[in-house]
Amino acid sequence: MAGIAGTFGTPESPLKALSAALARRGPDAATWHAGGARLLVRAAMPAVHEQDGIAVVVDGIAEVSALAAGYTARGPAALLGGAEPYALILADPARGGLVLARNGEGPPLYYAETATGVFAASEPAGLLAAGVAAEPDEGVVSRFIATGACDDTAATFYAGIRRVLPGEIVEITGGVRTRKTATARDGGGRFARPVLDAALGRGRIGVRFGHGLAGAATVGAALAGAGIPRQLTIYSATFPGLTTAAADYAAAVLGPVAISGARHRAQPFFADELDLDALLADLGEPVPDLDSYLIWATARATAGEVDTLIDTAGGGAHLARIADRLESRYGVTVRFPLRALASTGPVLRAELAAIVEGTLPTAAARFATGNAAHSLQPPMRDLLLRMRAELAAAVLHPRLPASQRAARTALAALFADGQVDTGALFRRYMVERWLRSVAPTEPPRPAPKAEKRAGGATWTRSAVTTEAFASGDKLPEKIAWYVGERLAEAGRKAYREKWCVLVAARPVAVVQGRARPVWDIRPGPLARALHRFARPSAGLDSPWTAQVAVEQVGPLRAAFGPAASHGVRGPAVDAVAVILPPEYPDRVAADILAALRTTLPEEAYATLAGCAIAGSAGVLAVAGDLDRETAEALCADDPFPVGGPIVLAFSAPPARKGGRPRTRGKK
């Protein structure tokens, strides 16, 4: 697979960004430019083809000279033809534009029209690198979540990027875009066995053992061709802790098979280790189901072991995108031979059954045909529940606000064993992970000013970043250690005057086990109604928050809240728990002060005014000589940043007459 790109009416710098983004598609680059047009190709032996005043870059197998001559004689329609799949970008400076074409199921090709010019590339990542905005297309996202459909129209998941469809020509000249679709070639007259045989070929071949008859027939066709020089590896998936169905089915079908040169490799997939971020980084856009992930993960794991992986997935326009990225990144050619067949339903099942019965041992064939509809994947509900923490963290706070209610409704139904479209929920989760990978993160809450006037003195506040606190941690000792480390960094000057320690209530509650994950909370009808109809100031930002508030203070106080005044905090961004107020805060503050006395140098403890614990309801406890009024003033603007549950406040030396602060040391 090569990487191709083109621009028109843009400066040179975007082409350099395109080249860097497509570097994984080829080690070397060749470029061309004339007038306002620029072309790029990345490959092992890159070449830009020039002829009769035009230039062409190709990804795939094509007779470029013939295509260029045909274009000169007959126009863009001549750019499509022949059995080999390919994609190309043609620059025609005389006509002032680019022509994009994709022959058959050729490699994907994308383009964007912006105020600064026209861009085209093999992957959306190249266009994003060139400056096209990574804004999601909400219509495409909504359709994908509801139906799973993607890659079947010109629209992509990016609002500003369009794709060239198979068998289509897109001509962009003089600011006018024209789309032309060639007559589609169907699979009429093609039968399953010759199609499978042609796909298998020679060399190091792998077969991903898929569902039902299709998987068994593909294995049978591969084994029956043992006379053809090939090394055959059969890959199956297992799901430890979720289901043994896949392992049992593979054992029943593949167990009786004994043939020299063929081997079976079972690949375990753990629900909490699915590497969706790496998948999205490779593919650039979401995919609709677990099977798509398994195709990608299997092919990636086989890199260097096989040259070609045969997969029995039959539907989905997105499969061409998966195959393209896998070959360009890992050097594995993935083929989906059943996509080329016109026959479906009973006709295809009969063809596949005949292959199974004619190629596999009797016991294996009988089991495969008797379990034709067998699924090798775990129940989606079980999978989602196993990955509930990651799922909730993404879905509770969707990047597309319009989908928040639907997302939370689906999540609540999943955790309550209610009716839910688990496929749609998986796709929603996939979209959220994708948005986090391409869209800029929301800026953090601006930190309050470090200086604060309180108790007649000016204080300088400094947040202490810590690792996450967990239930059962020894909170006083942990806080004392972090404070001691910060004082060692700051030096003795920092604590010559009075200072104090401020601790956020949230980690105290977490350590006490007062953080309730949403999957352990069952919102009742009253909580759901309060969440929907209570005034915003009530702070009931989710049905789970509302349920905990009702349990904590009763429905009336919960309704007229705010919930934060009762110490109930809903799940923070990327968090999954409702936080209750900490218990016995006075005792905790005293224990922290005692731990500080043991840990800190004597001179540091001598100037320590005390310790305060503060939350959304204000200061909950104060220990030591620090007065509550000063603590409340220091905590009034919520000085605790994300990841910083401890704040140290240092008072400035009293001012001398004339307004200059008094300092210790030499006069």
Side-chain angles (χ1 to χ4, degrees), residues 209-616:
F209 187 52
H211 304 306
L213 283 176
T218 304
V219 170
L223 295 173
I228 300 175
R230 67 168 65 121
Q231 300 173 33
L232 181 64
T233 306
I234 302 168
Y235 300 93
S236 64
T238 63
F239 303 91
L242 284 175
T243 178
T244 63
D248 295 343
Y249 185 80
V253 176
L254 301 179
V257 173
I259 183 168
S260 176
R263 57 179 176 168
H264 171 221
R265 178 166 296 176
Q267 297 176 305
F269 291 94
F270 298 90
D272 54 353
E273 295 180 3
L274 299 183
D275 198 352
L276 296 182
D277 292 336
L279 167 83
L280 292 167
D282 277 350
L283 302 188
E285 299 174 274
V287 288
D289 49 36
L290 178 62
D291 202 47
S292 299
Y293 174 86
L294 296 177
I295 296 169
W296 170 82
T298 301
R300 186 175 69 156
T302 66
E305 187 173 81
V306 301
D307 302 313
T308 302
L309 182 68
I310 306 302
D311 196 281
T312 55
H318 67 286
L319 295 178
R321 170 162 51 102
I322 295 176
D324 173 76
R325 304 302 193 273
L326 286 169
E327 185 165 0
S328 65
R329 274 126 173 95
Y330 307 108
V332 178
T333 299
V334 182
R335 294 175 181 161
F336 304 97
L338 297 186
R339 294 188 70 203
L341 297 177
S343 57
T344 58
V347 175
L348 179 59
R349 285 196 296 272
E351 286 189 66
L352 296 175
I355 297 173
V356 169
E357 293 166 353
T359 57
L360 291 182
T362 303
R366 186 181 298 116
F367 187 88
T369 54
N371 295 271
H374 191 87
S375 174
L376 301 185
Q377 295 180 13
M380 182 55 70
R381 180 185 288 272
D382 294 348
L383 178 74
L384 293 175
L385 288 173
R386 183 61 64 93
M387 53 195 290
R388 60 191 182 187
E390 297 87 350
L391 175 69
V395 173
L396 276 174
H397 302 279
R399 292 295 179 92
L400 297 178
S403 67
Q404 186 177 73
R405 175 169 293 180
R408 291 183 170 182
T409 299
L411 202 63
L414 175 73
F415 294 149
D417 296 327
Q419 186 174 356
V420 59
D421 184 340
T422 54
L425 184 55
F426 179 82
R427 294 190 291 272
R428 190 180 296 278
Y429 173 58
M430 180 75 74
V431 165
E432 288 301 324
R433 294 292 288 263
W434 169 71
L435 288 171
R436 281 159 171 73
S437 70
V438 299
T441 58
E442 296 181 3
R445 175 179 62 88
K449 292 181 179 180
E451 289 194 356
K452 183 75 172 179
R453 188 77 181 167
T458 299
W459 300 73
T460 300
R461 298 172 297 180
S462 175
V464 179
T465 301
T466 71
E467 64 182 19
F469 287 79
S471 178
D473 280 352
K474 295 182 178 180
L475 182 76
E477 291 81 357
K478 224 175 167 179
I479 289 178
W481 184 85
Y482 279 113
V483 172
E485 291 294 301
R486 172 53 65 88
L487 291 183
E489 294 174 6
R492 294 183 178 182
K493 277 187 177 181
Y495 53 80
R496 282 180 177 176
E497 302 296 333
K498 184 169 58 174
W499 65 286
C500 63
V501 178
L502 311 175
V503 179
R506 181 181 288 268
V508 178
V510 169
V511 167
Q512 293 177 341
R514 304 274 287 169
R516 293 180 60 185
V518 293
W519 52 82
D520 287 341
I521 303 170
R522 296 290 182 268
L526 179 58
R528 292 195 293 271
L530 285 175
H531 163 59
R532 291 189 62 182
F533 301 114
R535 56 187 182 184
S537 61
L540 305 178
D541 56 357
S542 75
W544 300 278
T545 308
Q547 180 62 36
V548 173
V550 167
E551 295 172 3
Q552 186 75 11
V553 299
L556 287 178
R557 290 183 64 193
F560 294 99
S565 67
H566 314 309
V568 177
R569 297 292 297 270
V573 175
D574 293 330
V576 297
V578 176
I579 308 297
L580 281 75
E583 294 182 309
Y584 316 115
D586 293 307
R587 183 189 303 171
V588 174
D591 290 344
I592 293 172
L593 199 60
L596 290 168
R597 182 168 190 171
T598 303
T599 304
L600 298 181
E602 186 175 343
E603 61 270 26
Y605 187 79
T607 55
L608 175 62
C611 170
I613 297 176
S616 55

